[in-house]
Amino acid sequence: MKKDKLYLFTFLSIALIFLLGAIFISQFLIKASAKQLIEVQVESAKRETNEIADFLSFQLDNNISKQESLERIQENLSINATDTWFISVFNWSGNEVANPNKLKVGQPLNSNEKLLASLIGKNYSDEFYDILKSSKEIESGVIYISPVKNSDLIVAANVNIKNVRAQFSGLKSDFYLTFFIMGILITLLTFIVVRYLGSAYEKQLETKYASLTSEVINLSKLNADLISYKERVVEEPVEITSDDNTEQEKKRILTYIRNELVPIAISDIAYVYTENTITYVVCFDGKKSTTNMSLDDMYNNFDATLFFRANRQFIISIAAIDKIIKYGKSQLKILLQSKTSEEIIISKNKAAEFKQWLNM
């Protein structure tokens, strides 16, 4: 149940983050796309206006009557007219003489100074976009004019603001629909990936916990074997004798405390270690002495059932071991009853030998 809630909160969080990001990003993209559309359409209208002005001027220069030229332009405008961006022709008196809508011919030109001024300059798309958003009273008007040489005619590029707003509204709808579909896909795919990774991680944790449980059981068994062996050694002291033709193993060794010779019973030794080429012997009562014997020689004189060569530095007595704990991946760490600052680590290679020694 907790996992289901976690996945639900993850899904909702991803959806919320995407929604907040989409709100800000979509506004930026809509504005950038609208401005780019404005620039493309305005430049196209300007270019068409200049071409028609040059065409009228060429016809008049070639002795084609003004009336005939306007009739040709009127016919062309009627065929190629659009509802949003269109061309018209007016004279110096301000009356239209050619318009895609023939009903407007002879009527005063519809012009707005604010609209015309907004399209003058390099960054006209920003001002025009602001007019589209704020000036609801402006519905259409002239955005660019090109006078016809040697005549009283002027060619004008016009825009229907209402249709442009509808165009931008469709652009917004397309963007919102795209973001909505993307949001659903991204949220679902992200949720699926998160759930898959979560499940894989949970399986990994379960495997790890199972391994740890197994290791804990093994360590518990190892410590139980240690206690059992200690009790067995106390109850039934082991007497190891050599073959008939050899001497018994040593019962004590000779050590030094400063310049004093001190014999120590092997049964009193807790552990032996080397440091800076010197071999130290530590007893259960904490007394420390040194010996001229090497660690190898010492181990050869010890009862192998009571002492274990933990590593190159330590020999430990079974009776001195307090606890056995896991160290690293496959190593063991020995805690002694006599506290020592040194860590006694049994390597992976000797761990099996140590476990077998405890079961002797």
Side-chain angles (χ1 to χ4, degrees), residues 48-201:
E48 187 178 359
T49 301
N50 291 329
E51 289 174 354
I52 292 177
D54 291 340
F55 179 70
L56 281 173
S57 177
F58 175 78
Q59 287 187 321
L60 295 175
D61 290 343
N62 285 277
N63 299 320
I64 298 175
S65 67
K66 176 180 176 182
Q67 185 62 33
E68 185 179 352
S69 297
L70 289 175
E71 288 177 358
R72 292 180 180 179
I73 291 296
Q74 178 63 49
E75 183 180 356
N76 183 269
L77 293 179
S78 299
I79 296 173
N80 300 315
T82 63
D83 294 334
T84 305
W85 304 87
F86 58 93
I87 304 298
S88 65
V89 182
F90 65 97
N91 54 28
W92 285 355
S93 62
N95 294 324
E96 296 199 51
V97 293
N99 191 292
N101 186 355
K102 294 182 179 181
L103 296 177
K104 292 186 176 182
V105 175
Q107 295 184 4
L109 180 69
N110 182 17
S111 178
N112 185 285
E113 293 183 2
K114 184 178 180 181
L115 179 62
L116 188 61
S118 69
L119 291 161
I120 298 175
K122 293 183 179 180
N123 298 321
Y124 60 81
S125 59
D126 288 323
E127 294 185 31
F128 188 76
Y129 183 78
D130 292 336
I131 288 176
L132 291 177
K133 291 184 65 177
S134 58
S135 302
K136 300 294 183 181
E137 69 279 0
I138 303 176
E139 292 189 0
S140 63
V142 175
I143 61 169
Y144 179 74
I145 57 175
S146 179
V148 179
K149 296 178 182 179
N150 303 320
S151 72
D152 63 343
L153 300 177
I154 300 174
V155 181
N158 300 261
V159 61
N160 188 322
I161 301 295
K162 183 178 179 181
N163 290 346
V164 173
R165 289 197 184 104
Q167 205 175 43
F168 289 166
S169 178
L171 185 66
K172 285 184 180 180
S173 299
D174 292 341
F175 266 103
Y176 289 145
L177 180 61
T178 302
F179 271 99
F180 177 73
I181 295 173
M182 285 178 57
I184 293 176
L185 292 176
I186 291 175
T187 303
L188 288 176
L189 290 175
T190 306
F191 175 73
I192 291 171
V193 171
V194 169
R195 183 155 190 173
Y196 172 77
L197 293 177
S199 299
Y201 182 68

Side-chain angles (χ1 to χ4, degrees), residues 253-256 272 278-281 289-294 298:
I253 61 173
L254 192 60
T255 64
Y256 298 87
V272 182
I278 299 174
T279 304
Y280 293 91
V281 179
S289 57
T290 62
T291 178
N292 292 330
M293 299 173 66
S294 68
M298 293 283 289

Side-chain angles (χ1 to χ4, degrees), residues 8-67:
L8 177 61
F9 289 144
T10 301
F11 177 81
L12 294 177
S13 299
I14 295 172
L16 180 61
I17 291 172
F18 182 86
L19 178 62
L20 293 176
I23 290 174
F24 292 103
I25 294 173
S26 62
Q27 295 301 317
F28 171 78
L29 292 178
I30 289 171
K31 184 176 181 179
S33 300
K35 288 167 61 178
Q36 186 176 15
L37 182 62
I38 289 170
E39 291 176 1
V40 170
Q41 292 182 335
V42 168
E43 292 304 319
S44 177
K46 287 181 178 180
R47 184 170 58 254
E48 187 178 359
T49 301
N50 291 329
E51 289 174 354
I52 292 177
D54 291 340
F55 179 70
L56 281 173
S57 177
F58 175 78
Q59 287 187 321
L60 295 175
D61 290 343
N62 285 277
N63 299 320
I64 298 175
S65 67
K66 176 180 176 182
Q67 185 62 33

Side-chain angles (χ1 to χ4, degrees), residues 96-359:
E96 296 199 51
V97 293
N99 191 292
N101 186 355
K102 294 182 179 181
L103 296 177
K104 292 186 176 182
V105 175
Q107 295 184 4
L109 180 69
N110 182 17
S111 178
N112 185 285
E113 293 183 2
K114 184 178 180 181
L115 179 62
L116 188 61
S118 69
L119 291 161
I120 298 175
K122 293 183 179 180
N123 298 321
Y124 60 81
S125 59
D126 288 323
E127 294 185 31
F128 188 76
Y129 183 78
D130 292 336
I131 288 176
L132 291 177
K133 291 184 65 177
S134 58
S135 302
K136 300 294 183 181
E137 69 279 0
I138 303 176
E139 292 189 0
S140 63
V142 175
I143 61 169
Y144 179 74
I145 57 175
S146 179
V148 179
K149 296 178 182 179
N150 303 320
S151 72
D152 63 343
L153 300 177
I154 300 174
V155 181
N158 300 261
V159 61
N160 188 322
I161 301 295
K162 183 178 179 181
N163 290 346
V164 173
R165 289 197 184 104
Q167 205 175 43
F168 289 166
S169 178
L171 185 66
K172 285 184 180 180
S173 299
D174 292 341
F175 266 103
Y176 289 145
L177 180 61
T178 302
F179 271 99
F180 177 73
I181 295 173
M182 285 178 57
I184 293 176
L185 292 176
I186 291 175
T187 303
L188 288 176
L189 290 175
T190 306
F191 175 73
I192 291 171
V193 171
V194 169
R195 183 155 190 173
Y196 172 77
L197 293 177
S199 299
Y201 182 68
E202 287 173 4
K203 289 180 180 179
Q204 185 179 1
L205 286 180
E206 289 174 0
T207 304
K208 185 177 180 180
Y209 288 151
S211 176
L212 287 175
T213 302
S214 176
E215 290 174 355
V216 169
I217 293 173
N218 290 335
L219 285 176
S220 299
K221 185 177 182 300
L222 205 59
N223 282 282
D225 290 342
L226 173 64
I227 296 171
S228 175
Y229 188 75
K230 285 183 178 180
E231 292 174 350
R232 191 165 65 251
V233 168
V234 172
E235 293 175 359
E236 303 175 4
V238 180
E239 295 183 4
I240 303 294
T241 58
S242 58
D243 295 335
D244 295 337
N245 297 326
T246 58
E247 296 181 354
Q248 289 187 338
E249 292 183 351
K250 287 187 177 182
K251 299 297 182 181
R252 63 182 62 83
I253 61 173
L254 192 60
T255 64
Y256 298 87
I257 299 179
R258 297 184 183 88
N259 295 324
E260 180 183 354
L261 292 173
V262 179
I264 295 177
I266 292 178
S267 59
D268 292 336
I269 297 175
Y271 62 96
V272 182
Y273 71 99
T274 60
E275 186 177 10
N276 298 325
T277 69
I278 299 174
T279 304
Y280 293 91
V281 179
V282 182
C283 296
F284 286 103
D285 58 6
K287 291 182 180 179
K288 183 189 293 187
S289 57
T290 62
T291 178
N292 292 330
M293 299 173 66
S294 68
L295 217 60
D296 290 334
D297 294 336
M298 293 283 289
Y299 187 64
N300 290 333
N301 289 312
F302 288 166
D303 184 348
T305 62
L306 300 177
F307 290 88
F308 183 77
R309 181 71 179 270
N311 49 44
R312 293 181 180 179
Q313 189 179 3
F314 277 90
I315 298 173
I316 55 176
S317 168
I318 184 70
I321 299 176
D322 183 31
K323 289 181 182 179
I324 305 168
I325 61 176
K326 179 178 172 57
Y327 184 82
K329 290 186 177 180
S330 303
Q331 297 174 317
L332 298 175
K333 183 175 181 180
I334 308 301
L335 301 181
L336 301 178
Q337 293 175 352
S338 300
K339 303 301 180 184
T340 173
S341 59
E342 299 292 336
E343 289 187 342
I344 303 177
I345 306 299
I346 297 179
S347 67
K348 175 182 178 181
N349 296 331
K350 296 206 70 172
E353 181 184 346
F354 177 72
K355 294 175 184 178
Q356 186 178 2
W357 175 70
L358 288 178
N359 288 320

